[in-house]
Amino acid sequence: MIKIWSLKKEQAAQQGDKKKSKVSAAQIRVQKDLSELDLPSTMKTHFPDPEDLLNFELTITPDEGFYINGSFPFTFKVNTNYPHEPPKVRCTKKIYHPNIDLEGNVCLNILREDWKPVLNLNTVMVGLQYLFLEPNPDDPLNKVAAEDLRNNRKRFEINVNSSMSGGFVNGERFDCVVKK
């Protein structure tokens, strides 16, 4: 009786090992991308579930530009077709930015039509950081912010500062993202 039980236990252990070792190509590529990350001090990753490398967070804290002193969290969802499809990236705070809409969708060309499998997570993260250093009013998701940036940089700067403190801009309340 003991012999049968231990055989079943051994078979169950082998089955468990097979399930654990089943790693997708996307997971392997994400693991490689993450191991090669060389992020500046203005960017930090966080893995809510350390076992799940395909879903993680990135926080950008610009040290210059309009968005200095802000802390901007993003979620990354990498699907199983990665690197053939870009990760889904979303800002989790409501911010006033020409290239990020009020729902957190991000307008970055490499997350859409310019994505290529040779690009990696580091490229996406650097692209996001660049949007805070040089917002692009010519490819906007938030047309009001883009218009302000194009036509009245001072008003844009005032609106960014007000919105980052959790204030209202054009009747819309924004999340406080000022670093504490």
Side-chain angles (χ1 to χ4, degrees):
M1 189 75 146
I2 294 175
K3 196 173 204 176
I4 292 171
W5 177 80
S6 65
L7 181 61
K8 285 183 181 177
K9 187 176 176 183
E10 187 176 304
Q11 287 173 339
Q14 287 173 349
Q15 288 290 343
D17 289 346
K18 284 181 187 173
K19 287 180 185 171
K20 284 180 189 171
S21 64
K22 188 126 180 151
V23 178
S24 71
Q27 288 170 311
I28 293 168
R29 173 62 187 271
V30 166
Q31 203 165 24
K32 177 184 182 296
D33 285 3
L34 292 172
S35 72
E36 295 173 351
L37 279 182
D38 186 24
L39 298 179
S41 61
T42 57
M43 291 195 273
K44 300 256 185 288
T45 56
H46 172 67
F47 292 83
D49 177 0
E51 299 293 312
D52 183 4
L53 296 182
L54 300 183
N55 294 287
F56 62 94
E57 299 165 358
L58 172 75
T59 302
I60 299 175
T61 53
D63 58 1
E64 60 183 280
F66 293 114
Y67 296 91
I68 191 168
N69 296 323
S71 180
F72 304 95
F74 290 85
T75 57
F76 276 65
K77 293 185 185 319
V78 182
N79 74 34
T80 54
N81 290 331
Y82 182 81
H84 301 288
E85 290 180 18
K88 302 285 186 231
V89 178
R90 193 173 187 93
C91 185
T92 62
K93 298 286 187 179
K94 185 192 276 189
I95 65 171
Y96 179 80
H97 193 291
N99 310 110
I100 300 171
D101 70 16
L102 300 179
E103 286 78 44
N105 298 306
V106 178
C107 183
L108 185 62
N109 61 338
I110 60 171
L111 291 175
R112 298 186 333 240
E113 70 276 359
D114 290 346
W115 177 259
K116 294 172 181 54
V118 297
L119 298 176
N120 59 28
L121 294 174
N122 194 69
T123 309
V124 174
M125 293 174 184
V126 169
L128 287 173
Q129 183 180 39
Y130 189 73
L131 286 180
F132 287 99
L133 299 175
E134 290 292 331
N136 180 4
D138 298 324
D139 191 16
L141 279 181
N142 182 331
K143 293 181 184 355
V144 173
E147 182 110 355
D148 277 348
L149 180 55
R150 258 195 308 271
N151 299 328
N152 189 338
R153 288 179 75 84
K154 188 65 181 159
R155 181 173 61 209
F156 177 79
E157 185 174 3
I158 290 167
N159 287 343
V160 167
N161 289 331
S162 174
S163 68
M164 283 177 46
S165 298
F168 286 85
V169 176
N170 299 326
E172 191 75 46
R173 183 173 190 99
F174 290 87
D175 292 332
C176 181
V177 293
V178 176
K179 282 189 299 189
K180 295 179 172 126

